[in-house]
Amino acid sequence: MGYRRMDANGGRSGNNGPRVNEQIRIAQVRVVAEDGEQLGIMPTQEALATARAQGLDLVEIAAQAKPPVCKIIDYGKYKYHQQKKLSKQQSTKTQIKELRLRPKTGAGDVMIKVNKAREWLVKKDKVIVSILYRGRELAHLDEGMKVLDTVVRELDDVAKVEAAPKQMGKRLICTLAPK
């Protein structure tokens, strides 16, 4: 009798998901009914016959337990709920990114920043566009507003203005959210 290499999946190399029905090869299993009631330890064939009589599947829930725990459930419904749980865990949280510019920033440099902001907006992140003023630049607030208008106009296809431009000290700030 040869040895079988065990992997992280409890010996199921290349198989995703739990063992179902005839895939369960161990002699005895602990069986749990669909409503959560403990049916006890029984031979696998008997547990499989009980599941089939109810029109359901025998699904191995805890393979590492001694004996393994199997539940009598509808496997299609089980897979659906597992995928739903997984997608809920994988949903990304929206981040807020900041794009900092100056009133005298050149057109080419502004476009580079706009392209970066476009990447963030496509990834569903919000973008705060900040125009920073220093010294005498505060006397020419309209120059910063022109730069901000350019950014908003370039990102119009992927973003909407969430918070209108407003002056906060030495900054002009506008928030963009993905469409």
Side-chain angles (χ1 to χ4, degrees), residues 92-139:
T92 57
K93 193 173 180 182
T94 301
Q95 291 184 333
I96 299 175
K97 304 284 190 169
E98 186 176 12
L99 190 70
R100 291 184 179 183
L101 297 163
R102 303 283 308 278
K104 294 187 176 185
T105 303
D109 294 331
V110 169
M111 292 313 296
I112 289 171
K113 297 274 190 170
V114 164
N115 290 335
K116 193 64 180 170
R118 185 180 304 280
E119 288 176 25
W120 294 334
L121 289 162
V122 168
K123 291 179 185 174
K124 303 294 183 203
D125 293 333
K126 289 184 180 181
V127 177
I128 295 176
V129 181
S130 297
I131 308 294
L132 306 172
Y133 294 99
R134 283 195 191 153
R136 290 189 178 176
E137 290 175 349
L138 280 168

Side-chain angles (χ1 to χ4, degrees), residues 36-114:
E37 178 189 343
Q38 297 282 337
L39 300 180
I41 297 172
M42 60 175 71
T44 305
Q45 293 306 319
E46 186 182 326
L48 193 54
T50 306
R52 290 265 163 80
Q54 296 175 16
L56 298 170
D57 300 306
L58 186 66
V59 181
E60 189 176 57
I61 302 296
Q64 284 73 29
K66 299 289 182 210
V69 179
C70 294
K71 193 169 186 179
I72 297 175
I73 51 175
D74 180 7
Y75 182 62
K77 192 185 270 187
Y78 172 78
K79 255 175 76 171
Y80 171 76
H81 286 294
Q82 292 297 78
Q83 283 179 338
K84 198 171 172 183
K85 241 188 245 181
L86 186 64
S87 70
K88 215 176 250 187
Q89 291 172 355
Q90 290 177 346
S91 65
T92 57
K93 193 173 180 182
T94 301
Q95 291 184 333
I96 299 175
K97 304 284 190 169
E98 186 176 12
L99 190 70
R100 291 184 179 183
L101 297 163
R102 303 283 308 278
K104 294 187 176 185
T105 303
D109 294 331
V110 169
M111 292 313 296
I112 289 171
K113 297 274 190 170
V114 164

Side-chain angles (χ1 to χ4, degrees), residues 23 51 110 160 177:
Q23 292 176 344
V110 169
K160 61 182 181 239

